[in-house]
Amino acid sequence: MNPDIFTKVDEYIGNLLGQEDAVLKETIRSLDQAGMPQISVSANQGKFLQVLLILGNVKTVLELGTLGGYSTIWLARALPEDGKIITLEIDEHHAEVARQNIAKAGLTEKVEVRVGKAMDILSQMQSEGEGPFDMIFVDADKPPYAEYFQHALALSKPGTLIICDNVIRQGKVLDADSGDERVQGVQRLNQLLAETPQVTATILQTIGAKDYDGMAIAVVNRTN
Ligand SMILES: C[S@@+](CC[C@H](N)C(=O)[O-])C[C@H]1O[C@@H](n2cnc3c(N)ncnc32)[C@H](O)[C@@H]1O
């Protein structure tokens, strides 16, 4: 099958159901203008996250990895009036660009951008008793993904949705001898998902406008 078909079908779906408004388009442009990488979720992935948030009646979101706020804007728009997102970003420049984009989207009230290493902020959040969150979106650096998942679990409650992006890495996840620490990071996460009885999890392969990849989707089980 011609791989172009995946991009064309992604465009087809996007034109029907995942259209970006001026703010989202401007957010993507702002990444180039600020010399930042084009590694946001795709529009259809943003819409997919919105569907899940509405399905799960999500009010509170914790995001790891803000970049320019593109996914943050998709997520925030699916929240109710009193919904709230805390998004963690290590790079002050990225955080500043994101704050500007979030302000242009009129979402400043709903979104708090915290700057620092996700691992440090997560530990601090736990020690200060923050959470639990209804949804946690893990999209920061890949090597510590398993540790991020453990923190996410600690900040969860039954029913919390935990989504980790980029866990297939163009199929490199199949290479048991990979020397790439990002691949090793997602391999450890995927194994941990399989070994964690508190969650019901799967991985959805993603293909289209972005590289072939996958999103791990886990729901914290309700206790009987
Ligand atoms: C893939 S991008 C996030 C994309 C964003 N979620 C979106 O879809 O629009 C990953 C972001 O995580 C940030 N990051 C990398 N390592 C981090 C860390 N240790 N703690 C917090 N953020 C980190 C990077 O600076 C980058 O902005």
Side-chain angles (χ1 to χ4, degrees):
M1 195 181 288
N2 183 343
D4 275 359
I5 191 77
F6 298 118
T7 309
K8 286 188 177 138
V9 171
D10 208 44
E11 283 167 13
Y12 166 81
I13 298 168
N15 287 335
L16 282 173
L17 299 165
Q19 284 194 1
E20 294 171 315
D21 66 356
V23 170
L24 285 167
K25 285 183 185 153
E26 174 57 31
T27 297
I28 291 298
R29 271 196 297 274
S30 75
L31 300 179
D32 287 337
Q33 284 156 4
M36 289 157 63
Q38 287 292 352
I39 52 172
S40 313
V41 296
S42 71
N44 288 332
Q45 289 165 1
K47 187 70 183 287
F48 176 67
L49 294 174
Q50 287 193 331
V51 170
L52 293 183
L53 259 60
I54 294 165
L55 179 70
N57 202 17
V58 167
K59 270 192 178 183
T60 55
V61 175
L62 173 63
E63 178 180 58
L64 278 58
T66 316
L67 193 66
Y70 184 80
S71 55
T72 319
I73 292 171
W74 278 102
L75 291 165
R77 285 178 168 173
L79 294 181
E81 204 58 42
D82 57 346
K84 175 100 184 147
I85 298 192
I86 297 173
T87 180
L88 314 183
E89 174 54 56
I90 197 168
D91 186 312
E92 176 58 64
H93 178 53
H94 293 188
E96 191 42 44
V97 171
R99 285 194 193 98
Q100 287 169 18
N101 289 325
I102 289 160
K104 283 180 196 155
L107 292 166
T108 304
E109 292 288 298
K110 273 192 183 153
V111 181
E112 182 188 343
V113 184
R114 290 193 192 171
V115 181
K117 274 187 174 180
M119 207 69 84
D120 296 345
I121 303 176
L122 289 165
S123 301
Q124 193 183 352
M125 290 176 97
Q126 271 168 256
S127 60
E128 290 177 3
E130 279 193 72
F133 294 87
D134 298 329
M135 189 268 190
I136 300 174
F137 180 47
V138 180
D139 194 19
D141 49 330
K142 311 307 165 194
Y145 254 33
E147 289 71 28
Y148 287 155
F149 175 73
Q150 281 162 329
H151 278 288
L153 258 190
L155 291 162
S156 294
K157 59 183 170 45
T160 295
L161 182 61
I162 302 173
I163 299 190
C164 307
D165 200 13
N166 311 120
V167 302
I168 294 299
R169 315 208 64 77
Q170 299 161 288
K172 291 181 190 138
V173 74
L174 297 179
D175 179 3
D177 300 321
S178 174
D180 182 333
E181 57 179 11
R182 292 164 300 184
V183 173
Q184 292 170 357
V186 300
Q187 285 169 331
R188 286 196 305 118
L189 165 77
N190 296 343
Q191 189 60 40
L192 182 60
L193 284 176
E195 292 166 0
T196 304
Q198 298 102 299
V199 299
T200 300
T202 190
I203 298 170
L204 191 72
Q205 297 187 67
T206 54
I207 191 150
K210 300 275 165 170
D211 275 345
Y212 167 49
D213 216 315
M215 266 190 197
I217 304 177
V219 185
V220 179
N221 292 325
R222 297 186 191 281
T223 45
N224 293 316

